[in-house]
Amino acid sequence: MEQREHAEKIKWHPGFCGGIELELREYREFLDFDPEHMLSKEPLRMDMLIIKKKSDIRIDNPIAEIFRKHNVIEYKSPADSLSIDSFFKTIGYACLYKGLGRVVGEISEKELTVSIFRHTYPRKLFETLKKTGAVIEKVHDGVYRVSGIICFPTQIVVTKELEKGAHSALKILTGKADEFEVRNFIGEAGKYKVPIDRQNADAVLQVSVSSNVELFERLRKERSMCVALNNLMKDELDAREARGVAIGEARGVAIGEARGLTQGIEKLSCAVKEIRSGSKAAEIKKKYGKEIWEAAKELA
């Protein structure tokens, strides 16, 4: 129960968005990534919409071979279920997206695809889909096409089953990340030079670290891994340090002001007592200052 509650608190979607952008980084100039694409003025939105800007560009990546111009992406975190209802909800997003074009036919169903990502094999969903007449075809390790009941290409990507040593950015987004895949991701991410790639890698790492604390603590004990992780997460660590310094300074100021206020009240109280006891004004001014003396005189 505690593990499930922890998983539900982790913000998985930013990590997934970073991961899928890393997967398709070679094609960035041909793709527009739009996380949490709003479908209407109401709070109804897809996890991601990927627009393929050139139709003649072939994406040589198993998870995106299906892509056409408009590609609806749904991500199910380890804390989410993938039921028949959630499946058709995603199909509904795609249908609504098509229906909300500015003019009739602006978004063609022939240029629309749906991809649903989750870590584990959705056995119950596949059994239910087959009963409805759907055909489930495994086209690559971890990539399953669903046809026969939907008029546009649809696939379910099971990240756990993707080719070993590849797609690590997606495969480590789980609470039970494979150590080999984590090491592979760290090694690959260390080669990234483009800022957006490093930012996406950082988003993936933040999620994976949060959900695999013991694994990363063990890796940090290895000098090479510790250096690699620190380099990868340098921007985030620097930001945390800056936030920590700012918080520390703010607390220091607050504590200083509180102490100053306390000391001022104590001085004022003593000055009042001395005035009432007949002490000379010059002596009180010299001892506590002119402002304390004036305030004490009014109170006395």
Side-chain angles (χ1 to χ4, degrees):
M1 180 64 74
E2 290 182 0
Q3 285 186 337
R4 180 172 180 81
E5 290 177 353
H6 176 64
E8 289 175 348
K9 291 179 181 178
I10 293 173
K11 295 181 179 179
W12 296 93
H13 286 71
F16 170 74
C17 291
I20 201 165
E21 285 197 43
L22 287 174
E23 279 286 327
L24 303 173
R25 64 187 180 280
E26 296 177 18
Y27 304 92
R28 183 176 292 115
E29 63 179 303
F30 306 114
L31 302 172
D32 278 335
F33 297 89
D34 188 7
E36 298 187 340
H37 179 81
M38 298 297 294
L39 284 166
S40 66
K41 293 181 180 180
E42 299 300 320
L44 184 64
R45 58 191 177 190
M46 302 177 287
D47 284 340
M48 179 177 276
L49 175 69
I50 299 178
I51 302 293
K52 188 177 176 183
K53 294 183 281 188
K54 290 189 176 182
S55 59
D56 60 339
I57 296 299
R58 181 178 180 275
I59 299 179
D60 188 19
N61 186 315
I63 71 169
E65 279 183 358
I66 196 176
F67 279 10
R68 295 183 179 179
K69 184 174 182 180
H70 305 275
N71 306 284
V72 175
I73 308 296
E74 177 76 4
Y75 171 64
K76 293 298 181 183
S77 77
D80 297 331
S81 64
L82 180 51
S83 65
I84 189 68
D85 286 347
S86 56
F87 173 83
F88 277 106
K89 180 179 178 182
T90 304
I91 300 302
Y93 285 161
C95 293
L96 186 56
Y97 173 70
K98 178 194 167 15
L100 290 174
R102 289 169 295 184
V103 296
V104 175
E106 178 186 18
I107 300 171
S108 170
E109 68 276 7
K110 295 179 181 179
E111 291 297 328
L112 185 63
T113 75
V114 169
S115 298
I116 302 175
F117 290 75
R118 82 176 317 227
H119 185 65
T120 55
Y121 184 84
R123 187 175 307 280
K124 187 174 181 180
L125 171 64
F126 281 171
E127 291 174 354
T128 305
L129 282 172
K130 288 176 181 177
K131 290 178 182 178
T132 68
V135 176
I136 312 294
E137 179 187 7
K138 182 178 179 180
V139 294
H140 294 287
D141 288 343
V143 181
Y144 299 83
R145 298 278 171 84
V146 181
S147 60
I149 59 172
I150 305 162
C151 64
F152 40 78
T154 301
Q155 67 178 6
I156 294 177
V157 180
V158 181
T159 57
K160 184 180 181 179
E161 297 182 3
L162 292 171
E163 181 185 354
K164 190 174 179 64
H167 317 287
S168 297
L170 299 177
K171 294 172 79 173
I172 68 173
L173 296 175
T174 172
K176 297 180 180 179
D178 182 88
E179 183 173 332
F180 172 83
E181 298 294 350
V182 170
R183 289 177 179 274
N184 185 63
F185 176 77
I186 293 171
E188 288 297 315
K191 302 173 186 176
Y192 298 155
K193 303 300 181 185
V194 180
I196 186 63
D197 288 341
R198 293 184 64 86
Q199 291 171 18
N200 287 327
D202 183 66
V204 171
L205 270 178
Q206 285 188 52
V207 170
S208 194
V209 169
S210 298
S211 54
N212 297 276
V213 176
E214 292 183 4
L215 172 57
F216 278 91
E217 284 181 350
R218 189 168 73 252
L219 291 177
R220 282 197 176 100
K221 292 178 181 178
E222 298 178 22
R223 179 172 175 77
S224 59
M225 282 288 104
C226 182
V227 171
L229 280 168
N230 286 341
N231 287 338
L232 283 175
M233 302 188 75
K234 184 178 184 302
D235 292 343
E236 173 63 17
L237 292 172
D238 288 347
R240 289 182 184 180
E241 182 179 353
R243 289 196 296 270
V245 170
I247 291 171
E249 289 178 346
R251 288 178 178 172
V253 170
I255 291 171
E257 290 178 347
R259 287 177 178 172
L261 180 61
T262 301
Q263 292 173 359
I265 292 173
E266 290 177 352
K267 288 181 180 181
L268 181 61
S269 177
C270 291
V272 170
K273 290 179 181 178
E274 291 191 24
I275 290 174
R276 289 174 178 173
S277 66
S279 297
K280 294 181 180 179
E283 293 178 355
I284 297 173
K285 287 181 185 178
K286 184 177 180 181
K287 190 173 182 179
Y288 300 109
K290 183 179 178 182
E291 292 181 356
I292 294 290
W293 175 77
E294 290 178 347
K297 184 172 67 173
E298 292 181 8
L299 293 172

